[in-house]
């Protein structure tokens, strides 16, 4: 990306706006969506830590990367900094009542209903499900043949979502969900066109998407109905049961449409993201043998701290979500600029995580940095922050730790190529461009204890502790 664009501060605006590249809007849009990392870094080098972009379909957005400015955006008045409007394009998939699309009081109320199900202390219970799903997948991996670990991770996270979040047990419904969910989670740019031009839904990929979405809605509705008629509902621990129980306690009844909207939201927010976090964890670990050795050693000693640091460092150096959006509902001063209403501010997680003033040698994969001292507030923000912080952060962290530990306990993996994989945009995430391709040189059977039965690792509960921002 050339940085030689000049830095015209637009003078025609009634408000004071940060510097912006002179590139035409269409070029900025393409670079912003398809070459995110290089474009944002080039803009930062050229214009400094606060700059403005014009991109379709969002319009003007002001990019922030200084933790102080990001804190303002995350903790600012929830009626002024609207996150829901930033996710508007997902409305046809997620539904009108999805937590991701709500703002203000409605969002607060929905979040309160969902928080208990994602509380850090409770998610430790899902560790055994994650471990089981990981073993099942490892048994299917080919020996001595290259395969993309991202696909293997996707299969694990899909099983985890189905069993721990949706709580599906009926084999026929599980099989149908296994088929439909991956298609529904592929909310790519071309798919989004279908909401503007519904006639597309009759053809090819759009038709496949529409049918999978309709099928998923039916299956999720059937799952909610099955939960409601289960006499053992009060004792169930899957996320859907906890959500239903909270709502029953609150209202004595369940709004089934709202419940379905939250389920599909959790699926979309949690599936591709955790898959990508895991793919990057292995991509980085396998290219940093010293880190890998230290991790293996610490796990053999039953320690969790280094594993925790590996997950944090992965999400720092390869943030799955590069930026988040807040739409201003009123003129607001932020980062010293007087911004007009209706403009977006964009905390750029990826830029903050590579700021050498916050993270010395920022491109190096060094989990040790998380052992030495606490990071500065709002300098490590892979899960966003404030009242919109990722609901599934503790869940995702537990899942990543459990999968990494289980895979390392049974396999010897090597990267297909030694060169680091580049980042590539995939739906809302930045993924390794070759899918973290690996070769498995050895596979050991799972550790069994006495009874011959697989046992959950005694450290699972510890792995589920919530992490701090
Ligand atoms: C490594 C995995 C994950 C990453 C990196 C991630 C990251 C994020 C980010 C950056 C946000 C936006 C925060 C903001 O706007 O400030 C978010 C929101 C959200 N995430 Fe995650 N996420 C992950 C996994 C999950 C999982 C497993 C679930 C649930 C099963 C989940 C559920 C949600 C929900 C419901 C929201 C919306 C919260 C709200 O608007 O109040 N995420 N996530």
């Amino acid at each position: 990306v050339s940085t030689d664009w000049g830095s015209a501060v637009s003078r025609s605006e009634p408000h004071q706006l940060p510097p912006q590249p002179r590139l035409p809007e269409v070029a900025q849009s393409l670079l912003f969506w398809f070459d995110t990392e290089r474009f944002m870094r080039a803009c930062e080098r050229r214009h400094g830590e606060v700059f403005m972009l014009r991109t379709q379909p969002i319009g003007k957005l002001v990019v922030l990367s200084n933790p102080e400015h990001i804190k303002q955006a995350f903790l600012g008045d929830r009626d002024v900094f609207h996150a829901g409007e930033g996710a508007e394009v997902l409305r046809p998939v997620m539904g009108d009542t999805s937590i991701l699309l709500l703002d203000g009081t409605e969002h607060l109320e929905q979040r309160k209903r969902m928080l208990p199900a994602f509380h850090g202390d409770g998610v430790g219970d899902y560790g055994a499900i994650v471990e089981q799903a990981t073993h099942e997948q490892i048994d299917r991996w080919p020996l001595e043949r290259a395969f993309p670990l991202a696909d293997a991770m996707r299969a694990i996270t899909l099983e985890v979502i189905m069993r721990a979040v949706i709580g599906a047990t009926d084999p026929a419904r599980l099989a149908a969900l296994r088929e439909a969910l991956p298609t529904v989670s592929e909310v790519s740019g071309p798919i989004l066109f279908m909401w503007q031009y519904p006639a597309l839904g009759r053809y090819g990929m759009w038709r496949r998407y529409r049918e999978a979405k309709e099928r998923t809605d039916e299956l999720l509705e059937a799952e909610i109905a099955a939960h409601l008629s289960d006499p053992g509902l009060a004792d169930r621990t899957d996320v859907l049961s906890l959500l239903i129980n909270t709502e029953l306690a609150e209202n004595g009844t369940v709004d089934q449409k709202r419940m379905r909207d939250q389920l599909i939201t959790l699926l979309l927010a949690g599936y591709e993201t955790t898959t990508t976090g895991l793919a990057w964890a292995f991509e980085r670990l396998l290219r940093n043998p010293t880190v890998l050795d230290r991790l293996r050693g610490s796990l053999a000693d039953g320690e969790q701290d280094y594993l925790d640091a590996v997950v944090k460092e992965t999400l720092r150096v390869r943030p799955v979500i590069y930026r988040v959006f807040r739409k201003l509902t009123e003129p607001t001063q932020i980062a010293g600029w007087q911004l007009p209403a209706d403009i977006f501010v964009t905390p750029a997680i990826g830029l903050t995580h590579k700021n050498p003033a916050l993270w010395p040698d920022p491109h190096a994969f060094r989990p040790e940095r998380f052992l030495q001292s606490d990071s500065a507030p709002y300098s490590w923000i892979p899960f966003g922050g404030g009242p919109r912080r990722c609901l599934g952060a503790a869940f995702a962290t537990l899942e990543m730790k459990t999968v990494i530990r289980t895979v390392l306990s049974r396999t010897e993996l090597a990267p297909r190529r030694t060169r680091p994989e580049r980042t590539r945009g995939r739906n809302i995430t930045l993924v390794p461009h070759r899918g973290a391709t690996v070769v498995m040189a050895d596979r050991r059977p799972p550790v069994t204890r006495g009874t011959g039965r697989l046992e959950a690792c005694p450290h699972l509960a510890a792995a589920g502790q919530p992490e701090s921002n």
Side-chain angles (χ1 to χ4, degrees):
V1 178
S2 157
T3 57
D4 188 25
W5 312 323
S7 63
V9 176
S10 169
R11 302 200 186 278
S12 59
E13 295 289 334
H15 296 270
Q16 192 197 21
L17 293 169
Q20 54 175 307
R22 284 211 194 105
L23 290 172
E25 185 163 325
V26 64
Q28 294 194 37
S29 307
L30 288 171
L31 289 166
F32 182 74
W33 295 114
F34 297 110
D35 200 5
T36 311
E37 196 167 17
R38 279 204 303 165
F39 181 51
M40 300 277 267
R41 280 172 51 196
C43 289
E44 185 189 45
R45 275 198 302 276
R46 181 71 184 86
H47 302 292
E49 62 181 16
V50 185
F51 54 90
M52 194 181 88
L53 300 174
R54 284 171 295 123
T55 63
Q56 284 304 327
I58 289 183
K60 289 181 184 144
L61 52 88
V62 171
V63 177
L64 309 171
S65 59
N66 180 315
E68 268 307 312
H69 304 153
I70 287 182
K71 183 176 167 192
Q72 274 180 274
F74 280 163
L75 297 188
D77 184 342
R78 66 172 78 233
D79 290 324
V80 176
F81 292 85
H82 272 187
E85 291 194 55
E88 193 54 39
V89 289
L90 297 171
R91 184 178 293 275
V93 194
M94 296 201 179
D96 296 332
T97 68
S98 158
I99 182 170
L100 260 172
L101 296 169
L102 300 177
D103 279 307
T105 316
E106 278 184 325
H107 170 263
L108 183 66
E109 283 170 1
Q110 185 55 41
R111 195 164 161 108
K112 271 195 195 144
R113 283 185 210 110
M114 297 175 79
L115 267 173
F118 287 98
H119 193 260
D121 293 341
V123 299
D125 297 344
Y126 302 127
I129 294 178
V130 178
E131 209 181 33
Q132 185 66 38
T134 311
H135 282 301
E136 286 167 13
Q137 285 305 317
I138 292 174
D139 289 333
R140 294 184 192 159
W141 295 351
L143 264 171
E144 310 282 359
R145 193 153 52 77
F147 67 99
L149 205 55
D151 288 353
M153 294 299 128
R154 193 166 293 116
I156 295 173
T157 54
L158 177 62
E159 286 303 311
V160 171
I161 290 261
M162 289 194 304
R163 297 184 209 173
V165 176
I166 304 173
T169 48
D170 175 70
R173 238 186 342 259
L174 270 170
L177 279 168
R178 216 170 267 135
E179 183 136 343
L181 289 183
T183 307
V184 176
S185 73
E186 286 286 329
V187 196
S188 60
I191 287 294
L192 294 176
F193 274 117
M194 184 164 53
W195 320 137
Q196 271 170 316
Y197 308 103
L200 284 174
R202 293 202 290 270
Y203 310 104
M205 62 187 276
W206 293 285
R207 194 173 111 198
R208 275 195 301 282
Y209 188 91
R210 186 178 51 74
E211 287 173 355
K213 168 73 171 81
E214 285 164 7
R215 185 89 186 99
T216 302
D217 284 347
E218 281 166 22
L219 290 163
L220 295 181
E221 278 154 22
E223 200 55 58
I224 294 167
H227 274 62
L228 283 169
S229 60
D230 181 352
L233 174 66
D235 301 321
R236 291 181 64 155
T237 53
D238 56 88
V239 170
L240 175 57
S241 297
L242 300 181
L243 294 178
I244 291 179
N245 287 331
T246 308
E247 203 152 326
L248 284 176
E250 191 186 317
N251 304 327
T253 168
V254 168
D255 180 336
Q256 297 203 27
K257 155 86 172 66
R258 191 166 67 196
M259 195 56 73
R260 196 212 53 203
D261 288 356
Q262 308 322 319
L263 271 189
I264 194 99
T265 300
L266 293 175
L267 161 74
L268 261 78
Y271 168 54
E272 199 63 38
T273 45
T274 315
T275 299
T276 305
L278 277 164
W280 277 124
F282 286 104
E283 192 276 348
R284 290 292 75 208
L285 278 170
L286 299 178
R287 285 171 179 79
N288 289 274
T290 320
V291 174
L292 183 59
D293 283 351
R294 179 162 178 189
L295 176 60
R296 282 188 186 281
S298 72
L299 290 174
D301 294 341
E303 283 170 18
Q304 294 294 309
D305 289 358
Y306 199 67
L307 176 58
D308 188 71
V310 164
V311 169
K312 285 188 169 136
E313 177 68 342
T314 301
L315 295 175
R316 181 196 69 80
V317 79
R318 294 290 185 273
V320 171
I321 295 184
Y322 200 84
R323 63 272 197 256
V324 293
F325 302 95
R326 302 287 188 265
K327 186 173 183 180
L328 297 180
T329 60
E330 288 176 10
T332 305
Q333 169 141 356
I334 191 160
W337 299 91
Q338 184 65 36
L339 304 180
D342 292 336
I343 204 169
F344 279 87
V345 290
T346 302
I349 298 168
L351 290 181
T352 310
H353 285 189
K354 296 283 170 61
N355 180 343
L358 301 167
W359 303 103
D361 198 3
H363 300 283
F365 183 63
R366 286 216 323 255
E368 288 73 13
R369 55 176 108 231
F370 286 96
L371 298 176
Q372 286 149 8
S373 57
D374 285 344
S375 46
Y378 296 93
S379 62
W380 185 78
I381 44 170
F383 296 111
R388 306 301 297 229
R389 184 170 189 266
C390 175
L391 259 189
F395 188 102
T397 307
L398 165 86
E399 187 169 354
M400 286 182 67
K401 288 188 196 173
T402 309
V403 173
I404 294 170
R405 192 184 45 235
T406 309
V407 169
L408 293 184
S409 75
R410 290 193 55 197
T411 65
E412 297 303 326
L413 300 173
R416 168 88 192 283
R417 293 182 173 81
T418 46
R419 279 184 62 160
E421 294 201 18
R422 280 185 284 111
T423 55
R424 173 173 73 79
R426 180 187 156 107
N427 307 330
I428 55 163
T429 61
L430 287 188
V431 302
H433 83 294
R434 293 185 192 279
T437 305
V438 297
V439 177
M440 182 168 68
D442 187 25
R443 172 175 45 214
R444 295 175 286 276
V447 179
T448 52
R449 314 247 166 95
T451 55
R453 187 171 65 84
L454 265 179
E455 301 223 345
C457 169
H459 306 295
L460 284 177
Q465 294 306 308
E467 34 40 286
S468 56
N469 201 342

PDB file of all heavy atoms in Angstrom, residues 138 140-148 411-416 437-443:
ATOM      1  N   ILE A 138      -9.375 -35.084  16.642  1.00  0.00           N
ATOM      2  CA  ILE A 138      -7.973 -35.527  16.484  1.00  0.00           C
ATOM      3  C   ILE A 138      -7.941 -36.926  15.874  1.00  0.00           C
ATOM      4  O   ILE A 138      -7.110 -37.226  15.004  1.00  0.00           O
ATOM      5  CB  ILE A 138      -7.240 -35.535  17.857  1.00  0.00           C
ATOM      6  CG1 ILE A 138      -7.071 -34.111  18.366  1.00  0.00           C
ATOM      7  CG2 ILE A 138      -5.878 -36.218  17.742  1.00  0.00           C
ATOM      8  CD1 ILE A 138      -6.494 -34.013  19.784  1.00  0.00           C
ATOM      9  N   ARG A 140      -9.676 -38.109  13.714  1.00  0.00           N
ATOM     10  CA  ARG A 140      -9.962 -38.102  12.268  1.00  0.00           C
ATOM     11  C   ARG A 140      -8.857 -37.465  11.440  1.00  0.00           C
ATOM     12  O   ARG A 140      -8.924 -37.478  10.225  1.00  0.00           O
ATOM     13  CB  ARG A 140     -11.241 -37.304  12.007  1.00  0.00           C
ATOM     14  CG  ARG A 140     -12.435 -37.964  12.598  1.00  0.00           C
ATOM     15  CD  ARG A 140     -13.685 -37.208  12.233  1.00  0.00           C
ATOM     16  NE  ARG A 140     -14.754 -37.726  13.052  1.00  0.00           N
ATOM     17  CZ  ARG A 140     -15.875 -37.111  13.330  1.00  0.00           C
ATOM     18  NH1 ARG A 140     -16.099 -35.928  12.817  1.00  0.00           N
ATOM     19  NH2 ARG A 140     -16.782 -37.662  14.085  1.00  0.00           N
ATOM     20  N   TRP A 141      -7.887 -36.824  12.064  1.00  0.00           N
ATOM     21  CA  TRP A 141      -6.877 -36.109  11.279  1.00  0.00           C
ATOM     22  C   TRP A 141      -5.965 -37.097  10.561  1.00  0.00           C
ATOM     23  O   TRP A 141      -5.589 -38.129  11.123  1.00  0.00           O
ATOM     24  CB  TRP A 141      -6.029 -35.209  12.183  1.00  0.00           C
ATOM     25  CG  TRP A 141      -6.811 -34.097  12.830  1.00  0.00           C
ATOM     26  CD1 TRP A 141      -8.101 -33.737  12.552  1.00  0.00           C
ATOM     27  CD2 TRP A 141      -6.365 -33.231  13.866  1.00  0.00           C
ATOM     28  NE1 TRP A 141      -8.473 -32.692  13.351  1.00  0.00           N
ATOM     29  CE2 TRP A 141      -7.439 -32.352  14.171  1.00  0.00           C
ATOM     30  CE3 TRP A 141      -5.165 -33.082  14.572  1.00  0.00           C
ATOM     31  CZ2 TRP A 141      -7.342 -31.363  15.137  1.00  0.00           C
ATOM     32  CZ3 TRP A 141      -5.073 -32.093  15.537  1.00  0.00           C
ATOM     33  CH2 TRP A 141      -6.147 -31.242  15.814  1.00  0.00           C
ATOM     34  N   PRO A 142      -5.544 -36.733   9.331  1.00  0.00           N
ATOM     35  CA  PRO A 142      -4.642 -37.626   8.589  1.00  0.00           C
ATOM     36  C   PRO A 142      -3.214 -37.550   9.128  1.00  0.00           C
ATOM     37  O   PRO A 142      -2.789 -36.502   9.597  1.00  0.00           O
ATOM     38  CB  PRO A 142      -4.699 -37.055   7.166  1.00  0.00           C
ATOM     39  CG  PRO A 142      -5.019 -35.613   7.348  1.00  0.00           C
ATOM     40  CD  PRO A 142      -5.874 -35.514   8.583  1.00  0.00           C
ATOM     41  N   LEU A 143      -2.512 -38.692   9.063  1.00  0.00           N
ATOM     42  CA  LEU A 143      -1.097 -38.709   9.461  1.00  0.00           C
ATOM     43  C   LEU A 143      -0.234 -38.426   8.233  1.00  0.00           C
ATOM     44  O   LEU A 143      -0.554 -38.865   7.127  1.00  0.00           O
ATOM     45  CB  LEU A 143      -0.741 -40.101   9.993  1.00  0.00           C
ATOM     46  CG  LEU A 143      -0.795 -40.326  11.505  1.00  0.00           C
ATOM     47  CD1 LEU A 143      -0.633 -41.808  11.801  1.00  0.00           C
ATOM     48  CD2 LEU A 143       0.260 -39.508  12.241  1.00  0.00           C
ATOM     49  N   GLU A 144       0.856 -37.682   8.448  1.00  0.00           N
ATOM     50  CA  GLU A 144       1.859 -37.443   7.388  1.00  0.00           C
ATOM     51  C   GLU A 144       1.267 -36.799   6.135  1.00  0.00           C
ATOM     52  O   GLU A 144       1.793 -37.004   5.045  1.00  0.00           O
ATOM     53  CB  GLU A 144       2.546 -38.774   6.972  1.00  0.00           C
ATOM     54  CG  GLU A 144       3.087 -39.626   8.103  1.00  0.00           C
ATOM     55  CD  GLU A 144       4.417 -39.099   8.641  1.00  0.00           C
ATOM     56  OE1 GLU A 144       4.886 -38.084   8.104  1.00  0.00           O
ATOM     57  OE2 GLU A 144       4.933 -39.693   9.603  1.00  0.00           O
ATOM     58  N   ARG A 145       0.193 -36.110   6.265  1.00  0.00           N
ATOM     59  CA  ARG A 145      -0.392 -35.443   5.092  1.00  0.00           C
ATOM     60  C   ARG A 145      -0.866 -34.050   5.511  1.00  0.00           C
ATOM     61  O   ARG A 145      -1.454 -33.900   6.577  1.00  0.00           O
ATOM     62  CB  ARG A 145      -1.582 -36.280   4.579  1.00  0.00           C
ATOM     63  CG  ARG A 145      -2.069 -35.870   3.210  1.00  0.00           C
ATOM     64  CD  ARG A 145      -2.740 -37.050   2.478  1.00  0.00           C
ATOM     65  NE  ARG A 145      -3.783 -37.731   3.231  1.00  0.00           N
ATOM     66  CZ  ARG A 145      -5.021 -37.253   3.398  1.00  0.00           C
ATOM     67  NH1 ARG A 145      -5.358 -36.099   2.879  1.00  0.00           N
ATOM     68  NH2 ARG A 145      -5.914 -37.939   4.078  1.00  0.00           N
ATOM     69  N   ALA A 146      -0.573 -33.049   4.656  1.00  0.00           N
ATOM     70  CA  ALA A 146      -0.909 -31.673   5.041  1.00  0.00           C
ATOM     71  C   ALA A 146      -2.419 -31.463   5.080  1.00  0.00           C
ATOM     72  O   ALA A 146      -3.142 -31.968   4.221  1.00  0.00           O
ATOM     73  CB  ALA A 146      -0.273 -30.704   4.047  1.00  0.00           C
ATOM     74  N   PHE A 147      -2.882 -30.757   6.088  1.00  0.00           N
ATOM     75  CA  PHE A 147      -4.299 -30.371   6.137  1.00  0.00           C
ATOM     76  C   PHE A 147      -4.438 -29.036   6.871  1.00  0.00           C
ATOM     77  O   PHE A 147      -3.616 -28.700   7.726  1.00  0.00           O
ATOM     78  CB  PHE A 147      -5.158 -31.459   6.811  1.00  0.00           C
ATOM     79  CG  PHE A 147      -4.880 -31.654   8.274  1.00  0.00           C
ATOM     80  CD1 PHE A 147      -5.699 -31.071   9.244  1.00  0.00           C
ATOM     81  CD2 PHE A 147      -3.798 -32.408   8.700  1.00  0.00           C
ATOM     82  CE1 PHE A 147      -5.447 -31.242  10.601  1.00  0.00           C
ATOM     83  CE2 PHE A 147      -3.535 -32.586  10.058  1.00  0.00           C
ATOM     84  CZ  PHE A 147      -4.357 -32.010  11.011  1.00  0.00           C
ATOM     85  N   PRO A 148      -5.479 -28.258   6.500  1.00  0.00           N
ATOM     86  CA  PRO A 148      -5.655 -26.955   7.152  1.00  0.00           C
ATOM     87  C   PRO A 148      -6.246 -27.116   8.545  1.00  0.00           C
ATOM     88  O   PRO A 148      -7.377 -27.591   8.699  1.00  0.00           O
ATOM     89  CB  PRO A 148      -6.614 -26.207   6.218  1.00  0.00           C
ATOM     90  CG  PRO A 148      -7.273 -27.251   5.391  1.00  0.00           C
ATOM     91  CD  PRO A 148      -6.485 -28.527   5.473  1.00  0.00           C
ATOM     92  N   THR A 411      -0.599 -34.990  19.989  1.00  0.00           N
ATOM     93  CA  THR A 411      -0.083 -34.945  18.613  1.00  0.00           C
ATOM     94  C   THR A 411       1.293 -34.294  18.528  1.00  0.00           C
ATOM     95  O   THR A 411       1.685 -33.528  19.399  1.00  0.00           O
ATOM     96  CB  THR A 411      -1.023 -34.115  17.706  1.00  0.00           C
ATOM     97  OG1 THR A 411      -0.997 -32.767  18.160  1.00  0.00           O
ATOM     98  CG2 THR A 411      -2.435 -34.632  17.720  1.00  0.00           C
ATOM     99  N   GLU A 412       1.976 -34.585  17.441  1.00  0.00           N
ATOM    100  CA  GLU A 412       3.179 -33.848  17.040  1.00  0.00           C
ATOM    101  C   GLU A 412       2.820 -33.200  15.714  1.00  0.00           C
ATOM    102  O   GLU A 412       2.607 -33.890  14.710  1.00  0.00           O
ATOM    103  CB  GLU A 412       4.378 -34.782  16.847  1.00  0.00           C
ATOM    104  CG  GLU A 412       4.833 -35.509  18.109  1.00  0.00           C
ATOM    105  CD  GLU A 412       5.182 -34.567  19.242  1.00  0.00           C
ATOM    106  OE1 GLU A 412       5.694 -33.464  18.988  1.00  0.00           O
ATOM    107  OE2 GLU A 412       4.916 -34.932  20.413  1.00  0.00           O
ATOM    108  N   LEU A 413       2.734 -31.891  15.711  1.00  0.00           N
ATOM    109  CA  LEU A 413       2.373 -31.170  14.488  1.00  0.00           C
ATOM    110  C   LEU A 413       3.564 -30.343  14.015  1.00  0.00           C
ATOM    111  O   LEU A 413       4.372 -29.902  14.821  1.00  0.00           O
ATOM    112  CB  LEU A 413       1.199 -30.224  14.750  1.00  0.00           C
ATOM    113  CG  LEU A 413      -0.110 -30.840  15.244  1.00  0.00           C
ATOM    114  CD1 LEU A 413      -1.106 -29.738  15.613  1.00  0.00           C
ATOM    115  CD2 LEU A 413      -0.716 -31.741  14.169  1.00  0.00           C
ATOM    116  N   ALA A 414       3.620 -30.136  12.708  1.00  0.00           N
ATOM    117  CA  ALA A 414       4.636 -29.238  12.152  1.00  0.00           C
ATOM    118  C   ALA A 414       3.953 -28.365  11.101  1.00  0.00           C
ATOM    119  O   ALA A 414       3.013 -28.822  10.443  1.00  0.00           O
ATOM    120  CB  ALA A 414       5.761 -30.050  11.512  1.00  0.00           C
ATOM    121  N   PRO A 415       4.425 -27.126  10.927  1.00  0.00           N
ATOM    122  CA  PRO A 415       3.798 -26.295   9.890  1.00  0.00           C
ATOM    123  C   PRO A 415       4.172 -26.834   8.516  1.00  0.00           C
ATOM    124  O   PRO A 415       5.273 -27.353   8.326  1.00  0.00           O
ATOM    125  CB  PRO A 415       4.415 -24.915  10.115  1.00  0.00           C
ATOM    126  CG  PRO A 415       5.676 -25.152  10.862  1.00  0.00           C
ATOM    127  CD  PRO A 415       5.520 -26.434  11.621  1.00  0.00           C
ATOM    128  N   ARG A 416       3.278 -26.748   7.583  1.00  0.00           N
ATOM    129  CA  ARG A 416       3.562 -27.210   6.225  1.00  0.00           C
ATOM    130  C   ARG A 416       4.717 -26.392   5.619  1.00  0.00           C
ATOM    131  O   ARG A 416       5.604 -26.914   4.977  1.00  0.00           O
ATOM    132  CB  ARG A 416       2.283 -27.042   5.394  1.00  0.00           C
ATOM    133  CG  ARG A 416       2.446 -27.191   3.903  1.00  0.00           C
ATOM    134  CD  ARG A 416       2.296 -28.645   3.507  1.00  0.00           C
ATOM    135  NE  ARG A 416       2.706 -28.889   2.151  1.00  0.00           N
ATOM    136  CZ  ARG A 416       1.993 -28.591   1.084  1.00  0.00           C
ATOM    137  NH1 ARG A 416       0.810 -28.022   1.229  1.00  0.00           N
ATOM    138  NH2 ARG A 416       2.436 -28.845  -0.133  1.00  0.00           N
ATOM    139  N   THR A 437      -2.018 -24.417   7.717  1.00  0.00           N
ATOM    140  CA  THR A 437      -1.794 -25.780   7.214  1.00  0.00           C
ATOM    141  C   THR A 437      -0.668 -26.473   7.979  1.00  0.00           C
ATOM    142  O   THR A 437       0.406 -25.901   8.172  1.00  0.00           O
ATOM    143  CB  THR A 437      -1.459 -25.740   5.708  1.00  0.00           C
ATOM    144  OG1 THR A 437      -2.505 -25.040   5.069  1.00  0.00           O
ATOM    145  CG2 THR A 437      -1.370 -27.142   5.122  1.00  0.00           C
ATOM    146  N   VAL A 438      -0.948 -27.705   8.414  1.00  0.00           N
ATOM    147  CA  VAL A 438       0.030 -28.452   9.217  1.00  0.00           C
ATOM    148  C   VAL A 438       0.148 -29.890   8.697  1.00  0.00           C
ATOM    149  O   VAL A 438      -0.691 -30.361   7.927  1.00  0.00           O
ATOM    150  CB  VAL A 438      -0.391 -28.535  10.703  1.00  0.00           C
ATOM    151  CG1 VAL A 438      -0.454 -27.148  11.332  1.00  0.00           C
ATOM    152  CG2 VAL A 438      -1.718 -29.253  10.867  1.00  0.00           C
ATOM    153  N   VAL A 439       1.191 -30.551   9.178  1.00  0.00           N
ATOM    154  CA  VAL A 439       1.340 -31.990   8.949  1.00  0.00           C
ATOM    155  C   VAL A 439       1.450 -32.648  10.323  1.00  0.00           C
ATOM    156  O   VAL A 439       2.179 -32.149  11.184  1.00  0.00           O
ATOM    157  CB  VAL A 439       2.619 -32.292   8.130  1.00  0.00           C
ATOM    158  CG1 VAL A 439       2.814 -33.797   7.963  1.00  0.00           C
ATOM    159  CG2 VAL A 439       2.565 -31.598   6.779  1.00  0.00           C
ATOM    160  N   MET A 440       0.685 -33.734  10.515  1.00  0.00           N
ATOM    161  CA  MET A 440       0.760 -34.418  11.818  1.00  0.00           C
ATOM    162  C   MET A 440       1.730 -35.596  11.691  1.00  0.00           C
ATOM    163  O   MET A 440       1.502 -36.521  10.902  1.00  0.00           O
ATOM    164  CB  MET A 440      -0.627 -34.912  12.236  1.00  0.00           C
ATOM    165  CG  MET A 440      -0.631 -35.582  13.601  1.00  0.00           C
ATOM    166  SD  MET A 440      -2.295 -35.837  14.238  1.00  0.00           S
ATOM    167  CE  MET A 440      -2.906 -37.065  13.095  1.00  0.00           C
ATOM    168  N   ALA A 441       2.833 -35.550  12.469  1.00  0.00           N
ATOM    169  CA  ALA A 441       3.853 -36.602  12.385  1.00  0.00           C
ATOM    170  C   ALA A 441       3.525 -37.754  13.318  1.00  0.00           C
ATOM    171  O   ALA A 441       3.964 -38.876  13.104  1.00  0.00           O
ATOM    172  CB  ALA A 441       5.216 -36.017  12.730  1.00  0.00           C
ATOM    173  N   ASP A 442       2.767 -37.482  14.373  1.00  0.00           N
ATOM    174  CA  ASP A 442       2.480 -38.551  15.337  1.00  0.00           C
ATOM    175  C   ASP A 442       1.178 -38.242  16.071  1.00  0.00           C
ATOM    176  O   ASP A 442       0.831 -37.076  16.278  1.00  0.00           O
ATOM    177  CB  ASP A 442       3.638 -38.651  16.352  1.00  0.00           C
ATOM    178  CG  ASP A 442       3.477 -39.867  17.266  1.00  0.00           C
ATOM    179  OD1 ASP A 442       2.810 -40.843  16.835  1.00  0.00           O
ATOM    180  OD2 ASP A 442       3.984 -39.825  18.407  1.00  0.00           O
ATOM    181  N   ARG A 443       0.475 -39.338  16.406  1.00  0.00           N
ATOM    182  CA  ARG A 443      -0.756 -39.174  17.207  1.00  0.00           C
ATOM    183  C   ARG A 443      -0.757 -40.249  18.286  1.00  0.00           C
ATOM    184  O   ARG A 443      -0.593 -41.428  18.011  1.00  0.00           O
ATOM    185  CB  ARG A 443      -1.987 -39.336  16.313  1.00  0.00           C
ATOM    186  CG  ARG A 443      -3.285 -39.380  17.120  1.00  0.00           C
ATOM    187  CD  ARG A 443      -4.502 -39.417  16.233  1.00  0.00           C
ATOM    188  NE  ARG A 443      -4.355 -40.349  15.149  1.00  0.00           N
ATOM    189  CZ  ARG A 443      -4.868 -40.179  13.930  1.00  0.00           C
ATOM    190  NH1 ARG A 443      -5.571 -39.111  13.645  1.00  0.00           N
ATOM    191  NH2 ARG A 443      -4.685 -41.088  13.003  1.00  0.00           N
TER     192      ARG A 443
END
